[in-house]
Amino acid sequence: MIPAPSRRDFLQLMLGGAAVASLPPLASAQTHPTALTVTRLSENLQLITGAGGNVLLATAPDGMVMVNGGAQERSTELLKLIADQSGGTRVSTLFNTDWHPEHTGSNEALGKGGTQILAHENTKQYLANDLVVEWQKKTYKAKPKPALPTKTFHAAGTMTLGSERIEYGPLGQAHTDGDIYVFFPGANVLVAGDVLSVGAYPIADYTTGGWLGGMVSATKALIDLSNAGTRVVPGTGPVQTRADLQAQHDMLNTLRERLGKMMRQGMGAADMRAAGATKEFDEKWGSPDLFLSTTYRGMWLHVRELGGIV
């Protein structure tokens, strides 16, 4: 039996190395910048799209809370839009739902202004170090100190903004091992980040601790936080529902069992693709190639949980 990888193993895999030709980021790349669009979800909540990743803005007379900050190349435009709309009200807290650049692009600008940046501890570690993402053939350089989270956590917590209660917590080893949710129970709005994917298979980034089994568990945790009326904000793409979470969970759970069985039979990712492992899901989720290749690598790092492979 191969021993389960430690966190040191992950960091040794990720740190160092020179950047090579880059591939598109985890979110769908935009060839031409799209206009920023504001959609009001409740009296105090606005969804801003077009900044690279979805940005949720909660407002109150005494401050604002942002969930994710879009891509760095859109940050100036995004923060100007927010300042113009708010009349200069300060962003008091910024949540990062994971480390990826389409969500952390406003960290530096807001951090320099004294905004509290709140994230999972693992997210801070990824942002603080050069990070090699093998499957993208890309190195992400360490962020400067003002861009790093100033408060981190490993367990669920709460805070308030005006009369709005905000709940947040970790989602385990899912898309990454630093994924979090942010829930606004008063408005019944749940920010799921990239754990929920729209229009493409979700990617479990094995280089930063994600894997298929964790995606199943994290999607179930989001289902348990929601109800039929919950509006679920993914990392990118339109607002979803609890039914969409359930559809993703059912797909991932089926494939966890199926791909584990195929691995026990000695199949690799290309064999799984040729055998049509995902065929009944491809119409909804698109090409499975990247999903299968990254999932296969991640599953090998969790052979103890899967059992019977080695």
Side-chain angles (χ1 to χ4, degrees), residues 56 61 90 120 147 265 268 296 309:
L56 191 72
R90 179 174 173 271
H120 194 285
Q265 295 170 348
Y296 178 74
I309 294 176

Side-chain angles (χ1 to χ4, degrees), residues 110-126:
L110 290 174
K112 287 179 177 177
T115 295
Q116 172 181 253
I117 304 175
L118 192 56
H120 194 285
E121 173 63 26
N122 293 349
T123 292
K124 181 177 182 178
Q125 295 305 313
Y126 296 137

